[in-house]
Amino acid sequence: MLVAVLSDIHANLEALQAVLDDMKSHGAEGILGLGDYIGFNGNPSECLALVQPHLLAAVQGNHEAALVDRAVFGVPMYMEMMDRTQDMLSPEQLRWLRRLPHHTAWQECLLGHATPEAPKRWGRIANVNEARKVFSSVKNRISFYGHTHRASIFRLYKGQVEKLEINYDSRGDFTLHMPSSCRFLVNPGSVGQPRDLDWRAAYALFCPETSTLHLRRVQYDVQQAGDKIARTGLPASFAEALKTGDTPTGD
């Protein structure tokens, strides 16, 4: 069974539709959702309507948590963004987002948005030291997470943790076989707001039967997506960052 792993969609309808088309063309049968379905971009309701029917498992991100408690951000601009986002969602969608767990399991995999040891702090797994802490606190052989908006893979083998180099080929694909002798932390990157200086939407395809992972990059209409960011109350700099794959927040 081939599944797609999506994180940080962030209400980017154009990016999400391109990813859905790409995953279907490869035969993916469902989606594992790693949180932050909303925020930053202009189509939260439409994105949820598209992704929910395909979800096999899903967790909450910090943007969903902010629907319950705006103090998750504490920044007036982001709090205004969440107020506008909430107004664009249906009551049913709001209830679903607020009830999502911080972590869940799917087959042998752990799904989460941020670091598992203190989920409400929304820490990032961005380097080997942080990855080592996660490996020591979870037992799953494969863990999927998001939050950094950057694709990354950490591997634990014989007590040693390393960050693997990711080089996409001309088709926007990076393939990795995941042997049972190793454990892995995998961030598929962001569908709706990549921050690795590559504007293309990022996601992963995973086959548990063969332990094969494909990290994917997909082109989409980034200009059209950027034109909608003002709907959320964010400045034009966020739209410009979307077009270059840069971080609009400095993290």
Side-chain angles (χ1 to χ4, degrees):
M1 180 183 190
L2 186 69
V3 298
V5 187
L6 275 58
S7 189
D8 298 280
I9 296 168
H10 282 302
N12 188 329
L13 181 62
E14 287 73 23
L16 176 60
Q17 186 61 70
V19 164
L20 292 177
D21 290 344
D22 189 73
M23 64 171 251
K24 290 174 183 176
S25 74
H26 287 85
E29 299 180 50
I31 292 173
L32 307 179
L34 304 183
D36 276 8
Y37 312 92
I38 61 172
F40 290 137
N41 290 284
N43 293 107
S45 181
E46 295 88 345
C47 284
L48 284 177
L50 277 179
V51 77
Q52 279 182 296
H54 303 287
L55 286 171
L56 303 172
V59 297
Q60 185 181 84
N62 55 305
H63 281 246
E64 287 78 51
L67 289 173
V68 178
D69 182 7
R70 297 292 193 271
V72 168
F73 291 128
V75 179
M77 179 175 65
Y78 294 165
M79 295 167 74
E80 179 187 351
M81 174 188 71
M82 293 312 300
D83 290 341
R84 293 195 182 190
T85 293
Q86 183 167 318
D87 289 341
M88 289 187 270
L89 295 168
S90 71
E92 294 77 15
Q93 289 173 328
L94 286 167
R95 281 193 293 270
W96 183 80
L97 291 169
R98 288 166 173 160
R99 293 173 180 173
L100 287 170
H102 284 107
H103 292 88
T104 193
W106 183 80
Q107 296 194 13
E108 65 175 337
C109 304
L110 177 68
L111 311 183
H113 185 69
T115 54
E117 62 271 14
K120 292 186 178 181
R121 294 181 184 175
W122 303 107
R124 291 174 169 84
I125 308 170
N127 56 52
V128 167
N129 287 336
E130 292 162 354
R132 186 177 293 110
K133 292 177 184 178
V134 175
F135 279 123
S136 67
S137 64
V138 302
K139 303 304 179 185
N140 301 71
R141 191 175 75 83
I142 300 171
S143 297
F144 290 106
Y145 65 97
H147 197 36
T148 70
H149 294 220
R150 297 169 177 89
S152 60
I153 303 170
F154 294 94
R155 178 173 61 194
L156 174 65
Y157 179 63
K158 293 185 177 180
Q160 298 297 312
V161 178
E162 62 176 324
K163 186 176 183 179
L164 303 186
E165 184 175 355
I166 298 171
N167 293 306
Y168 296 96
D169 64 20
S170 60
R171 299 168 299 168
D173 187 86
F174 172 81
T175 303
L176 177 71
H177 178 63
M178 309 169 82
S180 58
S181 58
C182 301
R183 294 172 62 201
F184 295 89
L185 299 175
V186 178
N187 187 328
S190 172
V191 172
Q193 195 195 75
R195 297 181 181 178
D196 58 358
L197 303 182
D198 183 341
W199 61 269
R200 295 175 298 174
Y203 82 105
L205 292 168
F206 173 63
C207 179
E209 287 78 16
T210 62
S211 286
T212 303
L213 177 77
H214 296 268
L215 297 184
R216 301 280 302 156
R217 300 306 288 253
V218 183
Q219 296 188 33
Y220 71 97
D221 191 339
V222 68
Q223 179 67 50
Q224 185 172 342
D227 289 344
K228 300 176 182 177
I229 286 179
R231 294 175 59 187
T232 67
L234 293 174
S237 60
F238 278 71
E240 292 307 310
L242 192 68
K243 297 171 188 176
T244 60
D246 203 352
T247 171
T249 61
D251 55 11

